[in-house]
Amino acid sequence: MKTALIFPPQWFPSQPYLALPTLAGYLKSHGHEVDQYDFNIEGYETFLSRSYLEECVEIIRERLSRPAYTPEENQVKNVYRDILSDPDYLESIYSGVEEAKEVLRTEELFFQFPVYKRAYTTLKIAMKLISFAHFPSQVDLESFFMPGNPEENLNGILGATADPVANPYLRLFEDHLLPRVDWNEYGVVGISIIHVGQVIAGLSLARLLRKQHPHLHIVIGGSVFTRHIDILDDKQILFDEFFHSIILFEGELPLRRLLEQLQSGGSLSEVPNLIHLQDGKVVHNPKAESLPYDQLARPDFDDMPLEKYLMPYPVLPYMASRGCYWGKCTFCTHSHIYDSFYRKENEARVAEDIDYLGKRHNTKYFTFSDEAISPNAFKRMAAAILKNNVDMRALGMLKFEADTVETEDLFREICRAGFIMLFYGLESANDRVLSIIDKGCDQKTEHRVLTNSARAGIWNHLYLFFGFPTEELAEAEETIRFTVENSERGSGIVHSVGQSTFSLEKDSAIFHNPKKFSIDRIVQDPERDMAIVFDFDIQKGMTRDEVMDVYEQFDAVLDDCFPSRKIWKYLSREHFLLYLDRFGREEILRMAQDEALTEAVEA
């Protein structure tokens, strides 16, 4: 029995996501026939085409002829008239979109920043045109949003997955992607949903396949439905109309067992980590421990259409560990999919895998998807990569540890091995906030580690957020001050930053113990029973308006503090990895200060 694994939209178009290649590699190593379909990149290939955009304009024309029933519909009709009144503008999008894709896939054009920026702008405009055709939904180069967040409740899912106006994926799947596959070849279809922006697309796909090809067993996996483990018992209709089963946590062993049971005609009750329908009731099978790393397989990218990603050459994801070796940050849920079970690969095998994958797919570029690589693992990994002369350029995530561990010598070794960009979860630079987050570090440690890394020649990128429960305005301003003082205009040890506001997520330590963090009430809205992010009431710390004011205050100073932002704000992390390797830190800064290079029109 052959299996099809599918990664649905909407995700980034710059590289394959790791879930399918990881599962495929494991299943193939156990003798199963598996094909991988990245419907995310195939969707972009269809969306970003003249023929599809022309279809969108016809939809806009048809919607303009209908009556408007809301002020929002009246407002968007003015936009529709503007779009249809300028055929030259439409032609520029039609003719420019194929060229823009080619720019991102062609080495000599990709690295000409004005050309790159025009191409990026063209693609953003094209995605806006698609959004207008499916108003009020919004589809972009990395996300999908429907007003009301229908993925957060059962009725919303039932409606959105059958809505041909606001759901662009129904037409995409029915008219373009599903007809390309002979579904009679398969007995099982696995759909990986790892982000809330994929829920409507992924479940639309499952519903269509369930209806059109009733012989298929459709199984859902990924972190989103793992986090729904406790709210599925009264949602039998999902198992009746969308899928037959759900795999929780890591998928290798459960999916293998599922295939074996289906092939032999055995009982689904024998499959670990499986939720399924039995006699009209939702049944949760017993859990199994995650497999040790030596029983996993190297990811298999052979089925992935690497030439279609919007990159001049492949950038492959890789994971050297699962879970987080620290695992204490009170806001974090990243280890939940791994059942909070941390283990790592043998570093010598990591070097072998990277060498093999790089040579097989003609690339040296990798993104390590580990939640955080420990300093000791980094040291051994770098040594193995250097010993085996592996040609690699990569980015990875690192947690702040004592500078006696994360030394300048360690960072120089890491950089020599090919890790030229590191991502740090700073979150805050205030010691009190860091302590209640349980980051295991303080501001002085952050500063010393960033100094060591920068001196070694590595690009340091910070993640931070404002509005952690009880955070005061002065504490948020301390984080801003730390970042500004160490920016490119300051000490130069921070090179880029991504900021956000705090979100209270299901399954975090804060969610399970809100009183400890002075949260008075988590808002449990029955109309959002499938939500992952929750509103909450709190009296201490900044108000929501103050949090947004701080966020906007920080955003306003970024361009002044980080001149290179004129470059990196247009680039996905994978694109920037290539730019960093091609030009280096100093040249990127010089490019950013050259107005002739940065004057392309913004989207």
Side-chain angles (χ1 to χ4, degrees):
M1 181 173 58
K2 203 171 179 182
T3 300
L5 299 178
I6 305 176
F7 188 71
Q10 192 75 5
W11 194 247
F12 300 92
S14 48
Q15 69 175 162
Y17 193 78
L18 191 55
L20 267 56
T22 298
L23 291 170
Y26 177 81
L27 292 175
K28 288 179 181 180
S29 74
H30 286 272
H32 293 280
E33 287 189 87
V34 180
D35 289 333
Q36 303 176 64
Y37 294 97
D38 189 342
F39 276 7
N40 180 58
I41 196 60
E42 298 291 355
Y44 280 115
E45 188 70 4
T46 300
F47 280 159
L48 299 172
S49 65
R50 171 185 280 268
S51 60
Y52 190 89
L53 294 174
E54 288 176 338
E55 291 177 22
C56 287
V57 170
E58 289 308 308
I59 291 173
I60 288 171
R61 197 184 310 279
E62 192 272 332
R63 292 189 70 177
L64 183 60
S65 67
R66 296 185 208 160
Y69 296 103
T70 67
E72 291 78 15
E73 287 178 339
N74 272 319
Q75 186 175 2
V76 80
K77 282 198 170 193
N78 292 328
V79 179
Y80 287 171
R81 293 185 185 95
D82 290 341
I83 291 171
L84 297 175
S85 68
D86 194 343
D88 292 338
Y89 175 69
L90 287 174
E91 179 56 36
S92 71
I93 301 175
Y94 297 154
S95 59
V97 71
E98 293 292 343
E99 179 183 338
K101 289 190 295 183
E102 193 62 24
V103 165
L104 299 187
R105 291 169 176 161
T106 305
E107 183 178 8
E108 57 268 26
L109 298 174
F110 178 88
F111 290 108
Q112 297 179 43
F113 184 69
V115 177
Y116 173 97
K117 188 176 178 184
R118 283 194 295 271
Y120 171 87
T121 301
T122 297
L123 297 182
K124 294 281 284 187
I125 293 171
M127 297 304 291
K128 285 183 179 180
L129 187 62
I130 297 169
S131 295
F132 282 126
H134 296 279
F135 178 85
S137 298
Q138 300 174 31
V139 59
D140 203 341
L141 288 173
E142 64 276 340
S143 62
F144 173 68
F145 171 76
M146 292 183 80
N149 299 313
E151 70 278 358
E152 293 186 342
N153 65 85
L154 181 60
N155 287 333
I157 288 172
L158 294 173
T161 55
D163 183 350
V165 176
N167 182 348
Y169 302 109
L170 291 174
R171 185 163 60 96
L172 174 69
F173 294 145
E174 286 190 283
D175 296 349
H176 298 277
L177 300 188
L178 291 184
R180 299 177 188 175
V181 180
D182 183 358
W183 298 102
N184 292 319
E185 291 186 8
Y186 301 100
V188 176
V189 171
I191 301 173
S192 179
I193 300 176
I194 54 89
H195 185 264
V196 292
Q198 292 180 292
V199 171
I200 298 304
L203 293 184
S204 296
L205 173 62
R207 198 175 198 180
L208 288 170
L209 285 171
R210 182 79 183 259
K211 181 179 180 180
Q212 296 178 9
H213 304 281
H215 72 283
L216 294 173
H217 181 102
I218 299 169
V219 56
I220 301 294
S223 58
V224 171
F225 277 84
T226 292
R227 297 173 73 176
H228 288 332
I229 184 174
D230 60 328
I231 51 91
L232 293 170
D233 289 355
D234 62 349
K235 296 176 175 57
Q236 294 92 337
I237 191 171
L238 292 177
F239 295 85
D240 286 329
E241 294 192 13
F242 292 81
F243 46 77
H244 299 84
S245 60
I246 298 171
I247 286 177
L248 305 173
F249 306 108
E250 296 180 52
E252 287 93 344
L253 179 62
L255 185 53
R256 174 186 161 199
R257 296 288 188 231
L258 176 63
L259 299 183
E260 292 169 350
Q261 291 302 107
L262 291 172
Q263 285 176 331
S264 66
S267 171
L268 294 187
S269 63
E270 301 299 317
V271 181
N273 296 18
L274 194 77
I275 302 179
H276 59 105
L277 209 60
Q278 182 175 310
D279 299 326
K281 294 183 178 181
V282 176
V283 175
H284 298 245
N285 288 356
K287 286 171 58 177
E289 286 191 7
S290 300
L291 293 173
Y293 244 98
D294 60 8
Q295 294 184 28
L296 301 177
R298 178 191 298 130
D300 185 328
F301 297 95
D302 289 355
D303 295 337
M304 306 305 281
L306 297 180
E307 75 286 351
K308 291 185 178 181
Y309 296 93
L310 299 183
M311 301 289 283
Y313 18 75
V315 177
L316 301 180
Y318 185 83
M319 185 175 284
S321 63
R322 297 193 182 184
C324 178
Y325 76 92
W326 178 249
K328 298 179 182 179
C329 296
T330 53
F331 68 89
C332 187
T333 62
H334 289 176
S335 287
H336 183 70
I337 185 66
Y338 307 113
D339 203 18
S340 300
F341 175 37
Y342 172 75
R343 68 259 193 241
K344 65 179 182 62
E345 177 60 283
N346 176 283
E347 287 79 12
R349 183 174 153 186
V350 172
E352 293 173 4
D353 284 354
I354 295 298
D355 189 46
Y356 173 87
L357 293 170
K359 290 174 179 176
R360 184 169 185 84
H361 299 292
N362 194 28
T363 187
K364 62 180 178 180
Y365 296 103
F366 293 85
T367 57
F368 278 67
S369 303
D370 306 55
E371 307 304 335
I373 303 173
S374 74
N376 287 333
F378 244 138
K379 183 177 181 178
R380 291 190 295 267
M381 194 188 310
I385 288 168
L386 291 168
K387 178 181 178 181
N388 290 279
N389 296 312
V390 179
D391 190 12
M392 181 192 78
R393 299 293 182 275
L395 59 82
M397 282 283 295
L398 192 64
K399 178 189 174 295
F400 290 106
E401 300 286 5
D403 64 326
T404 55
V405 176
E406 292 178 345
T407 63
E408 185 176 336
D409 287 343
L410 172 64
F411 286 114
R412 290 193 183 280
E413 194 79 349
I414 289 172
C415 191
R416 284 182 57 226
F419 287 93
I420 60 175
M421 186 178 188
L422 293 178
F423 288 72
Y424 295 88
L426 181 88
E427 325 309 356
S428 172
N430 174 264
D431 287 350
R432 187 192 73 86
V433 175
L434 288 170
S435 69
I436 57 176
I437 292 177
D438 204 358
K439 289 294 292 185
C441 67
D442 56 17
Q443 185 189 116
K444 289 181 179 179
T445 300
E446 293 171 335
H447 186 273
R448 288 194 295 261
V449 169
L450 290 169
T451 299
N452 289 342
S453 180
R455 285 176 177 170
I458 292 171
W459 183 284
N460 294 329
H461 179 89
L462 301 185
Y463 292 121
L464 58 87
F465 54 70
F466 301 109
F468 191 85
T470 75
E471 182 182 38
E472 299 288 350
L473 178 60
E475 294 171 328
E477 289 175 337
E478 186 174 3
T479 299
I480 295 177
R481 188 164 54 252
F482 175 87
T483 309
V484 169
E485 290 175 353
N486 294 295
S487 68
E488 289 172 328
R489 296 288 196 200
S491 70
I493 62 173
V494 176
H495 308 104
S496 56
V497 62
Q499 80 275 23
S500 61
T501 58
F502 171 79
S503 294
L504 175 59
E505 292 197 23
K506 182 180 180 180
D507 300 313
S508 65
I510 304 176
F511 181 83
H512 290 299
N513 193 3
K515 295 297 183 184
K516 180 179 179 180
F517 301 90
S518 300
I519 291 175
D520 300 310
R521 180 177 71 103
I522 295 176
V523 180
Q524 302 280 0
D525 184 349
E527 297 300 316
R528 300 178 64 237
D529 67 324
M530 297 182 74
I532 288 175
V533 177
F534 289 81
D535 294 329
F536 60 96
D537 295 331
I538 188 169
Q539 299 300 315
K540 293 184 179 180
M542 291 184 289
T543 66
R544 284 179 174 79
D545 287 343
E546 287 175 324
V547 171
M548 289 310 303
D549 287 344
V550 168
Y551 177 93
E552 291 168 4
Q553 171 192 341
F554 183 64
D555 193 62
V557 303
L558 284 180
D559 283 339
D560 288 336
C561 298
F562 294 93
S564 67
R565 190 178 187 229
K566 293 180 180 178
I567 302 292
W568 51 258
K569 72 178 178 180
Y570 291 98
L571 300 162
S572 70
R573 64 173 197 164
E574 295 80 24
H575 287 179
F576 186 74
L577 176 67
L578 270 56
Y579 262 66
L580 182 60
D581 182 48
R582 172 63 63 98
F583 298 110
R585 283 188 341 203
E586 298 307 317
E587 180 61 14
I588 286 175
L589 183 57
R590 188 202 64 77
M591 290 165 57
Q593 294 168 336
D594 184 348
E595 292 185 2
L597 287 174
T598 58
E599 63 186 6
V601 177
E602 296 188 16

